[in-house]
């Protein structure tokens, strides 16, 4: 109906029923819909949105596909919201610094959204509008325009408020408020759950069951032909058929790449090691309830596929996927044949590292001891294959389409260092130790003079090594000194004042997939706290730096939006509603209603898409300040929305590595 379209448009794709979820506390109730919701509401909310009903209205004055303006009456009984008062839309831990950023855009697509501060701001309680704090907003850098966003602005610091509850920042002069947020010890627990569940939605070759999908995102198994994939160099030879079913979609495409997993498996394992209490087995995936952490169940699902990619001699096939374009929707109807590439040094080396690290972690759980033993044996076999075969830097010809899985000589060198850490931990072999010391200096972390946010998911292995009793003391000191330089460098951990949105990243980091280095800027600050012996004040500064990066994912940014998909039922009043994705994207019935919890690629100052009608509908993106070079769209060629909104399992892992250390589980978990 038209009223339904209006409601959806008003709240950027929010499904009817989401307000019930939030208002009735459905997230913590143990059921997807509260009992008080009417059956009509339930049925509507579970019905996938049609293309005609799901498209949000274009915000007046904004270009096509721009992230909609956050404005209007989005929460019943509260004042109208404005995106000009940015907060973490999920909330804050009680002990955190809490600073709202008020912005007055000067450049970019929203430059007409003028905003001025005319007096003190208030922090109000949601339940009764009681003013719990009142104070002035501080002008940032005397009114300077922030280069990355094109905005000028103010900070409103309400850090002294720590009482758990729901709040919003209110401007009495305009009558407008910020999005509602929580202050609570467990505020990020449901967000981590949603982020980890992204991997369930990426699973191939298995049915996404309605009960586990927790909404309309159930789906038939995709790509059953993976169970009979053939060698790309012998497409007509049935004898090359291999069962390569399982595993995750790499990103928005369905191909699967062992070399790319170095930036997935390692950060997820380190996140689990850094804060094991954050990860339980209540994520409602098929393995939940087995008494083992769901994140490790999910990693095991991927490792079980990776084992299939390893040949009997220890070598690992480069990648698998399609050799042609096209396909069908729904994706479960796509029956194009699937192929695997040749064994390569890069895929074998990266697999050795994934197996070795996982063997160390899984061995800590009695039910997985045999699995861990098998992983160790496979890691050593892969390493032996790698050492007895020449390194190749261009084995991927691109015949299997999508991303190239080649690795340069320098990338091989770095990977050797990281893999050697885990093999040394498993074996204690002097030969492996020598390789580690030889190659570590060629990593970006050790050669750049500060801890680079690139390769950072794998590079935590060097810090891991520094904690080992058998570590070389001089080498340990060198590693920690490099991290220490990063922890005091304005190029890694500048003061909050360096950035209007308190989340500075390097000017060159606003590229395709910018959310990956963004997350690692924060994670590295936390690693400095974890691995260095720092004064309390310095540790707190670095924790705040990391928290500010986290807040930038949750709405404290130039788009005033949560950079995860469809998070309305988790409290977000504006989140991303478009993914470039073969399963959930433009051609699917979920085009405007993707599953929750996907981290999108992020703003990209180098965006290269163009409009198919040459009418300027996407060209405006590259004219934006870097922090606004984004559009909430999922269009294919030539618009190239994959450069903006495509998710990837490695972006997701980077975000989870950052988020995990701020997560406390609820004191009372739902049954």
């Amino acid at each position: 109906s038209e009223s339904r379209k209006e409601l959806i448009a008003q709240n950027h794709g929010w499904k009817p029923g989401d307000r019930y979820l939030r208002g009735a506390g459905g997230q913590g109730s143990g059921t997807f819909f509260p009992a008080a919701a009417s059956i009509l509401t339930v049925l509507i909310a579970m019905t996938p949105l049609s293309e005609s009903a799901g498209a949000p209205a274009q915000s007046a004055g904004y270009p096509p596909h721009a992230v909609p303006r956050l404005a209007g009456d989005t929460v019943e009984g509260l004042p109208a919201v404005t995106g000009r008062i940015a907060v973490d839309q999920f909330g804050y831990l009680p002990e955190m610094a809490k600073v709202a950023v008020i912005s007055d855009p000067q450049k970019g697509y929203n430059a007409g959204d003028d905003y001025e501060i005319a007096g003190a701001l208030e922090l109000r309680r949601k339940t009764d509008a009681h003013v719990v704090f009142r104070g002035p907003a501080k002008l940032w850098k005397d009114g300077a325009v922030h280069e990355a966003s094109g905005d000028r602005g103010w900070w409103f610091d309400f850090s002294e408020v720590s009482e758990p509850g729901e709040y919003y920042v209110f401007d009495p002069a305009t009558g407008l408020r910020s999005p509602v947020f929580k202050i609570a010890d467990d505020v990020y627990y449901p967000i981590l759950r949603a982020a980890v569940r992204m991997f369930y939605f990426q699973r191939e070759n298995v049915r996404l069951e309605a009960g586990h999908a927790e909404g309309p995102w159930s789906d038939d198994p995709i790509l059953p032909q993976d169970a009979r994939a053939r060698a790309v160099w012998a497409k007509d030879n049935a004898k090359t058929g291999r069962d390569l079913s399982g595993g995750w979609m790499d990103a928005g495409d369905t191909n699967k790449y062992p070399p790319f997993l170095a930036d997935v498996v390692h950060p997820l394992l380190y996140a689990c090691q850094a804060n094991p209490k954050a990860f339980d087995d209540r994520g409602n995936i098929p393995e939940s309830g087995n008494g083992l952490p769901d994140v490790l169940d999910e990693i095991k699902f991927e490792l079980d596929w990776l084992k299939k990619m390893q040949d009997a001699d220890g070598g690992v096939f480069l990648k698998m996927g399609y050799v042609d374009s096209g396909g069908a929707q729904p994706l479960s109807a796509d029956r194009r044949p699937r192929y695997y590439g040749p064994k390569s040094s890069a895929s074998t080396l990266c697999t050795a590292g994934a197996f070795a690290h996982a063997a160390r972690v899984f061995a800590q759980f009695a039910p997985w001891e045999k699995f861990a033993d098998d992983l160790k044996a496979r890691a050593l076999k892969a390493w032996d294959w790698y050492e007895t075969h020449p390194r190749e830097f261009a084995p991927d010809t691109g015949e299997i389409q999508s991303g190239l899985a080649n690795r340069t000589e320098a990338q091989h060198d770095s990977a050797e260092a990281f893999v050697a850490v885990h093999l040394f931990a498993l074996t204690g072999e002097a030969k492996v130790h020598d390789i580690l010391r030889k190659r570590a200096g060629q990593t970006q972390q050790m050669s750049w003079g500060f801890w680079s946010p690139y390769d950072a998911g794998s590079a935590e292995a060097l810090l891991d090594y520094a904690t080992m009793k058998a570590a070389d003391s001089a080498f340990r000191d060198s590693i920690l000194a490099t991290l220490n330089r990063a922890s005091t460098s304005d190029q890694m951990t500048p003061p909050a004042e360096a950035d209007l949105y308190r989340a500075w990243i390097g000017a060159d980091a606003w590229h395709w997939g910018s959310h990956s280095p963004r997350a690692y800027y924060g994670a590295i600050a936390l690693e400095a706290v974890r691995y260095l012996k720092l004064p309390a004040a310095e540790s707190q500064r670095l924790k705040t730096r990391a928290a500010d990066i986290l807040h930038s994912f949750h709405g404290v940014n130039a788009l005033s939006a949560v950079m995860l998909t469809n998070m309305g039922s988790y409290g977000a009043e504006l989140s991303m509603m478009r993914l470039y994705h073969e399963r959930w994207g433009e051609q699917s019935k979920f085009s405007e209603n993707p599953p929750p919890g996907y981290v999108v690629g992020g703003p990209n100052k180098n965006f290269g898409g163009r409009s198919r009608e040459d009418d300027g509908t996407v060209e405006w993106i590259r004219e934006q300040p870097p922090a606004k070079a984004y559009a909430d769209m999922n269009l294919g060629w030539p618009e190239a929305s994959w450069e903006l909104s495509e998710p990837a399992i490695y972006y997701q892992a980077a975000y989870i590595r950052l988020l995990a250390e701020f997560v406390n589980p609820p004191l009372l978990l739902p049954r």
Side-chain angles (χ1 to χ4, degrees):
S1 70
E2 289 305 312
S3 60
R4 182 183 178 207
K5 293 180 185 179
E6 181 179 348
L7 176 60
I8 294 167
Q10 181 185 53
N11 208 19
H12 190 57
W14 232 10
K15 305 178 301 302
D18 278 351
R19 192 169 292 171
Y20 281 97
L21 276 168
R22 181 175 181 190
Q27 183 56 34
S29 68
T31 58
F32 189 63
F33 293 99
S38 70
I39 188 64
L40 179 60
T41 301
V42 172
L43 290 172
I44 293 174
M46 293 186 70
T47 302
L49 301 177
S50 67
E51 289 188 16
S52 61
Q58 184 61 45
S59 295
Y62 281 14
H65 312 300
V67 175
R69 181 182 290 109
L70 177 55
D73 298 322
T74 57
V75 177
E76 187 175 356
L78 295 187
V81 71
T82 176
R84 303 278 58 81
I85 306 176
V87 296
D88 186 314
Q89 294 184 33
F90 304 125
Y92 303 85
L93 299 175
E95 70 275 12
M96 271 181 172
K98 307 171 190 71
V99 181
V101 176
I102 298 88
S103 60
D104 178 23
Q106 304 295 302
K107 299 177 182 178
Y109 71 90
N110 62 349
D113 292 352
D114 298 331
Y115 203 88
E116 289 288 339
I117 296 295
L121 299 181
E122 299 172 348
L123 185 69
R124 292 188 172 189
R125 205 159 47 208
K126 179 193 174 188
T127 53
D128 58 6
H130 176 70
V131 177
V132 299
F133 179 82
R134 180 181 175 89
K138 179 183 177 182
L139 186 64
W140 182 76
K141 288 194 174 181
D142 298 321
V145 175
H146 179 226
E147 184 175 356
S149 67
D151 299 343
R152 69 182 185 100
W154 301 259
W155 289 358
F156 176 58
D157 190 332
F158 55 98
S159 301
E160 68 179 65
V161 179
S162 59
E163 181 71 21
E166 287 191 279
Y167 302 91
Y168 56 89
V169 175
F170 182 70
D171 184 351
T174 63
L176 299 175
R177 65 167 176 88
S178 75
V180 175
F181 58 88
K182 292 181 180 179
I183 296 176
D185 285 322
D186 60 354
V187 66
Y188 300 125
Y189 175 80
I191 312 309
L192 178 65
R193 180 182 184 274
V196 171
R197 283 179 54 74
M198 175 266 201
F199 293 97
Y200 173 70
F201 288 118
Q202 289 291 100
R203 291 188 183 191
E204 295 191 9
N205 316 122
V206 297
R207 182 180 302 279
L208 301 184
E209 299 287 352
H212 296 305
E214 297 185 352
W217 306 289
S218 58
D219 196 18
D220 292 333
I222 60 172
L223 310 176
Q225 60 268 42
D226 282 359
R228 51 185 185 278
R230 294 184 182 180
V232 73
W233 62 89
K235 298 183 186 68
D236 297 326
N237 186 354
K239 293 182 179 181
T240 66
R242 300 179 70 96
D243 178 4
L244 299 180
S245 59
W248 303 315
M249 297 177 63
D250 170 74
D253 66 280
T254 60
N255 291 358
K256 296 179 276 193
Y257 313 79
F260 295 178
L261 292 178
D263 291 322
V264 185
V265 172
H266 298 300
L268 288 177
L269 290 173
Y270 279 123
C272 195
Q273 291 172 265
N275 188 13
K277 71 178 186 296
F279 297 96
D280 56 30
D281 71 335
R282 296 173 176 267
N284 192 22
I285 62 174
E287 298 82 2
S288 295
N290 62 4
L292 300 165
D294 280 348
V295 68
L296 294 183
D297 282 315
E298 200 63 75
I299 293 170
K300 184 178 183 297
F301 183 85
E302 181 73 353
L303 294 175
D304 284 340
W305 166 77
L306 192 56
K307 287 162 65 172
K308 296 179 181 181
M309 291 291 284
Q310 185 176 35
D311 204 3
D313 62 359
V316 178
F317 296 106
L318 181 64
K319 69 176 184 180
M320 65 167 297
Y322 302 117
V323 297
D324 61 342
S325 57
Q329 280 293 334
L331 192 54
S332 55
D334 193 335
R335 292 294 186 267
R336 286 176 292 163
R338 302 269 280 179
Y339 301 95
Y340 58 90
K343 288 175 280 190
S344 79
S345 54
S347 54
T348 305
L349 178 60
C350 291
T351 298
F355 284 163
H357 191 180
R360 297 173 60 197
V361 175
F362 280 79
Q364 300 171 29
F365 299 85
W368 280 329
E369 287 179 355
K370 290 184 179 180
F371 179 67
D373 289 342
D374 182 51
L375 292 177
K376 177 181 177 180
R378 288 175 175 275
L380 295 173
K381 199 168 188 179
W383 180 256
D384 182 66
W385 190 97
Y386 174 77
E387 286 199 305
T388 55
H389 289 75
R391 300 203 296 184
E392 298 177 272
F393 309 126
D396 189 349
T397 64
E399 185 176 5
I400 298 176
Q401 295 186 3
S402 202
L404 289 176
N406 293 323
R407 289 293 182 262
T408 65
E409 182 175 8
Q411 288 172 320
H412 277 73
D413 291 344
S414 292
E416 275 194 27
F418 304 146
V419 173
V421 169
H422 301 295
L423 291 174
F424 180 62
L426 287 175
T427 67
E429 289 185 0
K431 179 182 177 182
V432 175
H433 202 184
D434 290 342
I435 291 173
L436 164 59
R437 287 177 287 198
K438 174 185 176 182
R439 294 300 192 195
Q442 293 157 284
T443 65
Q444 294 183 84
Q445 281 63 36
M446 299 300 290
S447 64
W448 285 17
F450 65 91
W451 213 259
S452 170
Y454 297 95
D455 290 341
S458 298
E460 193 170 351
L462 298 178
L463 302 174
D464 185 356
Y465 168 81
T467 68
M468 298 179 187
K469 292 181 179 179
D472 178 279
S473 59
F475 184 32
R476 175 196 293 120
D477 291 345
S478 177
I479 292 170
L480 297 180
T482 304
L483 179 62
N484 188 60
R485 283 195 295 274
S487 74
T488 58
S489 169
D490 285 349
Q491 297 305 305
M492 272 302 300
T493 57
E497 290 76 14
D499 185 85
L500 172 62
Y501 291 95
R502 300 173 59 90
W504 181 93
I505 64 172
D508 293 334
W510 297 98
H511 50 58
W512 187 345
S514 63
H515 279 159
S516 186
R518 170 176 292 278
Y520 283 124
Y521 273 104
I524 291 166
L526 293 175
E527 288 166 11
V529 174
R530 176 171 296 278
Y531 293 100
L532 301 176
K533 296 179 180 179
L534 299 173
E538 180 64 4
S539 291
Q540 187 56 53
R541 183 187 75 84
L542 292 171
K543 289 178 182 177
T544 298
R545 160 69 171 160
D548 285 336
I549 293 288
L550 183 65
H551 301 324
S552 74
F553 279 93
H554 298 169
V556 186
N557 56 56
L559 304 171
S560 305
V562 171
M563 302 308 291
L564 284 72
T565 55
N566 212 353
M567 296 298 285
S569 62
Y570 291 80
E573 293 185 45
L574 180 62
S575 56
M576 297 299 101
M577 296 301 293
R578 302 290 188 280
L579 279 178
Y580 180 82
H581 200 281
E582 288 188 40
R583 193 173 210 163
W584 315 114
E586 179 189 14
Q587 300 301 320
S588 79
K589 65 181 181 181
F590 302 106
S591 176
E592 292 146 5
N593 186 32
Y598 276 82
V599 176
V600 296
N604 178 7
K605 68 177 183 178
N606 305 313
F607 175 69
R610 63 179 179 82
S611 56
R612 63 189 69 185
E613 302 297 335
D614 293 325
D615 56 4
T617 55
V618 299
E619 283 76 5
W620 63 270
I621 298 169
R622 52 180 161 267
E623 299 170 0
Q624 302 302 304
K628 294 177 183 173
Y630 187 84
D632 191 22
M633 65 176 184
N634 54 17
L635 304 177
W637 187 88
E639 288 88 353
S641 62
W642 55 80
E643 296 184 16
L644 304 171
S645 66
E646 184 176 17
I649 53 178
Y650 20 96
Y651 309 159
Q652 199 80 13
Y655 169 75
I656 289 171
R657 178 65 188 93
L658 170 63
L659 172 64
E661 294 206 46
F662 293 101
V663 173
N664 299 303
L667 293 177
L668 296 175
L669 288 165
R671 292 184 179 182

